[in-house]
Amino acid sequence: MSLLKIEDLYASIGDEKILNGLSLEINAGETHAIMGPNGSGKSTLSYVLSGREDYDVSKGSVLLDSKEILDIEADERSRLGLFLAFQYPIELPGVTGMTFLRTIINSSRVAKNLPELEGIELVKLIREKAAELEISQDMLKRFVNVGFSGGEKKRFEILQMALLDPKIAVLDETDSGLDVDALRIVGKGVTNLKSKDRGMLVITHYQRLLDHIIPDFVHIMVKGKIIESGGPDLAKLVEKEGYKSFLNGN
Amino acid sequence: MEINSPPSNEVLDFCNSFKKSFKEHGWPNSKIETWKMTPLHKFIKDTSSLKHNSNYLIPNNKNKFINNIDINNLEFLNSKYFQKNEMSRVILAHISNAFEILVPKNTSKKETIDIKSSIDAGIWSSSLIIIKVPENVECNLALEFSLSSSSLCTPLIAIDVGKESNLSFGLSVINNSKSLNASNFVSLIEGNLSENSNLEMVLTQQGVTLSRSDININLNQNYSNYDLIGVYFGREKQHQDITTCVNHLAENTSSNQIIRGILDDSSVGVYQGGVKVAPNAQKTDGRQMSRALLLSNLAESNSKPELEIFADDVSCAHGATIGELDKDQFFYLLSRGVSHSMARELLIKAYLNEVVEEIQNDYLSDKLEKAIDFWLSEFKMKEVA
Amino acid sequence: MPIQEETIEQVNLATSKYKYGFSTDLEVDKAPKGLNENIIRLISSKKNEPKWMLDWRLKAFEIWKKMKEPEWAKVNYPKIDYQDIYYYSAPKNTEKLKSLDEVDPELLKTYEKLGIPLNEQKALAGVAVDAVFDSVSVVTTFRKQLEEKGVIFCPISEAIKTHPELVKRYIGSVIPRHDNYFSALNSAVFTDGSFVYIPKGVRCPMELSTYFRINEKNTGQFERTLIIADDDSYVSYLEGCTAPQRDENQLHAAVVELITHDNAEIKYSTVQNWFPGDENGKGGIFNFVTKRGSCLGKNSKISWTQVETGSAVTWKYPSCILHGDNSVGEFYSVAITNNFQQADTGTKMIHLGKNTKSTIISKGISAGKSQNTYRGKVLMQPGAKNARNFTQCDSLLIGDKCGAHTIPYITSKNPSANIEHEATTSKISEDQLFYCLSRGLSEEEAVSLIVNGFCKEVMKELPMEFSVEAQKLIGISLEGSVG
């Protein structure tokens, strides 16, 4: 079952054309990886998918679970089941982790016509998921991402993903800024969230994350479109030979 | 328990001597530098129809601390601040109430005094209030002014904090009617701090058509310290003004002023903050940070954070920012499925709660949190409407 | 009160004198003291100005008469009697000194410290430069290069005659005559100044410096400068010089107007070191200048960089009005006061257009018994969508008898406009001083090094010609401040 279908997507920011005819389809239960050199448009893809304002889409379509989402606002896309783990998570001074998580959990539940969670049930759910990602209770009392290390920020992103239970999860360079231990925890956390009802899109520059989150399909993205697709071996090839050969091909 | 202490005949005579000066000069006009951004004549039009009255309520019955003001205790009015300030004559010429709050010396217990004043429609309440905290005392004091439409409230407050004492003072200005018409508040406050004393003040101004608090604090002796958290909320055509001046007059004194304004509709916010360091006030630490959040295209914010430094071994800094809700933060919340209005509410609340964290005194931080929640509930109702 | 040099008038101008009703028993031909319509007519006629210019001056005079001199809380100066000043003196042939030996040794010592080459020293001190040809030829080659590009750079008195359309179009467009007391006065009696016009698409090949402007000396009292950068052009203009400029004229009320069209840029740098007077502050200059830039065009940019030291009283606020969308205004300033000097300086950034940006970096250093005030204004008007301002004002105090003041006015009428303002006050720490001393630096050298570090962000904006001398200047200005 197709969960995400991107067809011939063209997007630009200001005068700069970044996505140039990108197409991709992710079915339920699949994990896809997109790799590409700097400037290939990887982050732009994740922002355009999640609905950030500054980008202009001139052509193409994106179907989330068969529903066109390009003309839908960011918050609605999330409620429809799309999750983006930011490469650079934003700080929210004054908003505690607990408050933030409670708000987003209940927003999602209301959208699914489920009753809101409160009190002990809510705290229990959050603590359980937090523990799996080695996030302390203390961290939840602090303001969201304020003073968090790179690893703490990424783990908090994955915690949100676990609590929101999305249909499609887009992970934007989740490994950037992570040390070996953090990478292991994040990798485990994401792998645990793989399911037959969920599709994942892992966007990365380096191969090492893909040792922890093993993809079913690997795509190479250069200058805003996918130029080659294959299995996990393709990633190993990139690691060995870099992006040079792919760039020359274009 | 209600206190209604009209001034004694002697005090009244003394105050009446200002009537002549008031007749001659009237209200402060906007040609005067410190009144430029708050033109009173636009808000306070005809006061002749207003009746003079004041009543104060002490909900927690601590009236044993309240006394009449003796004519011999008025030397504080000779201070440079009260002498020069153009509002002094206005307030004194129309005095309707005068009392003194005196906490007993050397109390080991922390006293909490709560005073509420409700100003009804058609009333002008002009009060002279002396707050004396003697040596070695800890005290919480909350003073709330609740205005109706078509009312005017002009208190003159003198605060004295004795050696080794701590005063946590909460001053709040709110409206007590749904319609926000012609309710005006203009206050003058001077505080004098002695050696090793602390004054923590939390000021909130909301709901009233015009609100101006003019505060002058003198750190007279070594190791005295002043913290101010000032929060103003503006809606519709309201005008919020917090004007402060902290004078560092001795060594090792410190001050920290944190101002946060939130302005919606076509409201206007003004912050004028001066920090003055005298030549002998070495090792002064003076800080000021003011932030204003504009929620609509018609709102306006004016800031003038001033530094006047005459000593060299000091550490003084001030910062001011004006802007709107951060776009990145907004998007982050949206991308988590939080609705537009919920995201706005969350970020506004976060913006205001940041200052709640800065308040040391639980009693005062609770009060501020309640004020924030109240304003937010009104704000949410308006958004829904 | 200031006395102007005696003027020697040529005989054939004698009749015109009488036309203006001067007293007949005047021995030498100079306009009497005071300011009235006749003096203005005299000034205009001496310069052979067209009627429209005279009318413009007269209107300014009418405006000035109705105005009141501004009073500034933080600056004290003896009241100026405007009727006790000579407003015009004919261009004089200054008697040149024969050699450097005749020059005030104090002045020479300063030139040496600043590393100014000998020939320049002579020129500055009024010594007849032998190799007159050299200086003339340098100037001639310079002018030729500019002419090739179509760049107009000449005294404004010349431009009024040779390019009247340009002057008429722009003069008073940024600083109208009624703007303030001193701009009205200047508009009525301005003597000379620079006129610069950079045509479309031209990048001015060299830095324009007032040093190279052929100009009459002693007419700097009421200078008027007008610089216009047409679409897609660029110019860097340097004003002043690091050598102490003596001038018997106590009052200086200059007006500088800058205009940039689409995609154009003007970089205006000032290093002003007026003679500060003696250690008691007597005899110093009063410097009241109105400088304003108008970024008319989209994507245009005006930056003001100044290092101010010396005058007894300084009152100047170079400003930018950001009309064009995406335009940028910058202000970098180092103001040093020592002894009894008083400086009240700052900037105004008025944001009108969308996405406009302004940066203000102000460093004030006070020593001795001086007072140093930063007064700034940042205004975001309702149309200033997504505008940005960043301001940093830092004060450094040396000694406990001086004062540093910061008075910023910040107003925003557009929620998407973002303003950030920071100010700090500090002193040179004992630790910093000791560290330098322990490396063999004298206390004065240490102070100079530390202060230069404090001012680094501003100094790096100065064109090369100035920056080296400016750094030395900082050291000299602070002599005697420590200890």
Side-chain angles (χ1 to χ4, degrees), chain A residues 191-210:
Chain A
T191 305
N192 285 343
L193 290 167
K194 280 193 192 184
S195 99
K196 60 175 172 49
D197 302 314
R198 181 172 296 138
M200 291 218 195
L201 178 58
V202 180
I203 299 175
T204 182
H205 183 94
Y206 296 105
Q207 191 275 336
R208 59 179 195 151
L209 178 64
L210 302 177

Short mmCIF file of all heavy atoms in Angstrom, two decimals, chain A residues 191-210:
data_model
loop_
_atom_site.label_atom_id
_atom_site.label_comp_id
_atom_site.label_asym_id
_atom_site.label_seq_id
_atom_site.Cartn_x
_atom_site.Cartn_y
_atom_site.Cartn_z
N THR A 191 14.77 2.04 14.69
CA THR A 191 14.52 0.66 14.24
C THR A 191 13.34 0.07 14.98
O THR A 191 12.51 -0.63 14.39
CB THR A 191 15.78 -0.19 14.45
OG1 THR A 191 16.88 0.43 13.78
CG2 THR A 191 15.59 -1.59 13.89
N ASN A 192 13.25 0.37 16.27
CA ASN A 192 12.11 -0.14 17.05
C ASN A 192 10.78 0.40 16.55
O ASN A 192 9.73 -0.18 16.80
CB ASN A 192 12.25 0.25 18.54
CG ASN A 192 13.29 -0.60 19.23
OD1 ASN A 192 13.68 -1.65 18.72
ND2 ASN A 192 13.75 -0.15 20.38
N LEU A 193 10.83 1.51 15.85
CA LEU A 193 9.60 2.11 15.37
C LEU A 193 9.22 1.65 13.98
O LEU A 193 8.19 2.04 13.44
CB LEU A 193 9.71 3.64 15.41
CG LEU A 193 9.72 4.23 16.82
CD1 LEU A 193 10.16 5.68 16.81
CD2 LEU A 193 8.35 4.09 17.47
N LYS A 194 10.06 0.82 13.40
CA LYS A 194 9.69 0.28 12.09
C LYS A 194 8.48 -0.62 12.29
O LYS A 194 8.42 -1.40 13.23
CB LYS A 194 10.83 -0.59 11.55
CG LYS A 194 11.98 0.16 10.92
CD LYS A 194 12.87 -0.83 10.15
CE LYS A 194 14.18 -0.19 9.75
NZ LYS A 194 14.97 -1.10 8.93
N SER A 195 7.54 -0.50 11.35
CA SER A 195 6.39 -1.40 11.46
C SER A 195 5.80 -1.64 10.07
O SER A 195 6.08 -0.88 9.14
CB SER A 195 5.34 -0.83 12.42
OG SER A 195 4.30 -0.19 11.71
N LYS A 196 4.97 -2.62 9.97
CA LYS A 196 4.40 -2.92 8.65
C LYS A 196 3.39 -1.87 8.21
O LYS A 196 3.01 -1.80 7.05
CB LYS A 196 3.77 -4.32 8.65
CG LYS A 196 2.64 -4.46 9.68
CD LYS A 196 1.99 -5.82 9.53
CE LYS A 196 0.98 -6.11 10.63
NZ LYS A 196 -0.02 -5.07 10.91
N ASP A 197 2.96 -1.04 9.16
CA ASP A 197 2.00 0.01 8.79
C ASP A 197 2.66 1.35 8.56
O ASP A 197 1.98 2.35 8.29
CB ASP A 197 0.96 0.20 9.93
CG ASP A 197 0.24 -1.10 10.21
OD1 ASP A 197 -0.18 -1.76 9.24
OD2 ASP A 197 0.13 -1.46 11.41
N ARG A 198 3.96 1.38 8.69
CA ARG A 198 4.65 2.68 8.64
C ARG A 198 5.70 2.70 7.55
O ARG A 198 6.31 1.66 7.26
CB ARG A 198 5.29 2.94 10.00
CG ARG A 198 6.02 4.30 10.10
CD ARG A 198 6.48 4.60 11.53
NE ARG A 198 5.29 4.73 12.39
CZ ARG A 198 5.21 4.23 13.58
NH1 ARG A 198 6.19 3.52 14.10
NH2 ARG A 198 4.12 4.41 14.29
N GLY A 199 5.91 3.85 6.95
CA GLY A 199 6.98 4.00 5.98
C GLY A 199 7.99 4.99 6.53
O GLY A 199 7.64 5.93 7.22
N MET A 200 9.28 4.75 6.23
CA MET A 200 10.31 5.69 6.74
C MET A 200 11.18 6.21 5.61
O MET A 200 11.53 5.46 4.69
CB MET A 200 11.21 4.95 7.72
CG MET A 200 10.52 4.61 9.00
SD MET A 200 11.64 4.82 10.34
CE MET A 200 10.75 3.96 11.58
N LEU A 201 11.53 7.47 5.70
CA LEU A 201 12.44 8.06 4.73
C LEU A 201 13.62 8.64 5.52
O LEU A 201 13.46 9.58 6.30
CB LEU A 201 11.72 9.18 3.95
CG LEU A 201 12.58 9.93 2.92
CD1 LEU A 201 13.16 8.99 1.88
CD2 LEU A 201 11.75 11.02 2.23
N VAL A 202 14.77 8.03 5.35
CA VAL A 202 15.96 8.48 6.09
C VAL A 202 16.83 9.28 5.13
O VAL A 202 17.29 8.76 4.11
CB VAL A 202 16.75 7.26 6.63
CG1 VAL A 202 17.98 7.73 7.38
CG2 VAL A 202 15.86 6.41 7.53
N ILE A 203 17.03 10.54 5.43
CA ILE A 203 17.84 11.40 4.58
C ILE A 203 19.19 11.56 5.24
O ILE A 203 19.28 11.99 6.39
CB ILE A 203 17.19 12.77 4.39
CG1 ILE A 203 15.83 12.61 3.71
CG2 ILE A 203 18.08 13.69 3.55
CD1 ILE A 203 15.04 13.89 3.59
N THR A 204 20.25 11.20 4.53
CA THR A 204 21.55 11.27 5.16
C THR A 204 22.66 11.54 4.16
O THR A 204 22.54 11.27 2.97
CB THR A 204 21.83 9.96 5.94
OG1 THR A 204 23.10 10.06 6.59
CG2 THR A 204 21.85 8.77 5.00
N HIS A 205 23.76 12.08 4.68
CA HIS A 205 24.92 12.35 3.84
C HIS A 205 25.91 11.17 3.94
O HIS A 205 26.54 10.78 2.99
CB HIS A 205 25.59 13.64 4.31
CG HIS A 205 26.75 14.05 3.47
ND1 HIS A 205 26.64 14.92 2.43
CD2 HIS A 205 28.05 13.71 3.55
CE1 HIS A 205 27.83 15.11 1.89
NE2 HIS A 205 28.70 14.37 2.54
N TYR A 206 25.96 10.64 5.19
CA TYR A 206 26.92 9.57 5.45
C TYR A 206 26.24 8.22 5.56
O TYR A 206 25.09 8.11 5.94
CB TYR A 206 27.66 9.83 6.76
CG TYR A 206 28.49 11.08 6.74
CD1 TYR A 206 28.07 12.22 7.39
CD2 TYR A 206 29.70 11.11 6.05
CE1 TYR A 206 28.84 13.36 7.36
CE2 TYR A 206 30.47 12.25 6.02
CZ TYR A 206 30.03 13.38 6.68
OH TYR A 206 30.80 14.51 6.65
N GLN A 207 27.02 7.20 5.31
CA GLN A 207 26.47 5.85 5.29
C GLN A 207 26.28 5.29 6.70
O GLN A 207 25.42 4.45 6.93
CB GLN A 207 27.45 4.96 4.49
CG GLN A 207 26.93 3.58 4.15
CD GLN A 207 27.14 2.58 5.26
OE1 GLN A 207 28.04 2.76 6.09
NE2 GLN A 207 26.34 1.56 5.31
N ARG A 208 27.04 5.80 7.67
CA ARG A 208 27.11 5.13 8.97
C ARG A 208 25.78 4.95 9.68
O ARG A 208 25.55 3.95 10.35
CB ARG A 208 28.09 5.84 9.90
CG ARG A 208 27.70 7.27 10.14
CD ARG A 208 28.66 7.98 11.08
NE ARG A 208 28.02 9.22 11.53
CZ ARG A 208 28.25 9.79 12.65
NH1 ARG A 208 29.11 9.25 13.50
NH2 ARG A 208 27.65 10.91 12.98
N LEU A 209 24.85 5.92 9.50
CA LEU A 209 23.54 5.78 10.14
C LEU A 209 22.83 4.54 9.60
O LEU A 209 22.07 3.89 10.31
CB LEU A 209 22.69 7.03 9.89
CG LEU A 209 21.27 7.02 10.44
CD1 LEU A 209 21.29 6.94 11.97
CD2 LEU A 209 20.49 8.25 10.00
N LEU A 210 23.12 4.24 8.33
CA LEU A 210 22.42 3.13 7.69
C LEU A 210 22.92 1.77 8.17
O LEU A 210 22.32 0.73 7.83
CB LEU A 210 22.52 3.26 6.17
CG LEU A 210 21.96 4.58 5.62
CD1 LEU A 210 22.14 4.70 4.13
CD2 LEU A 210 20.49 4.73 5.99
#
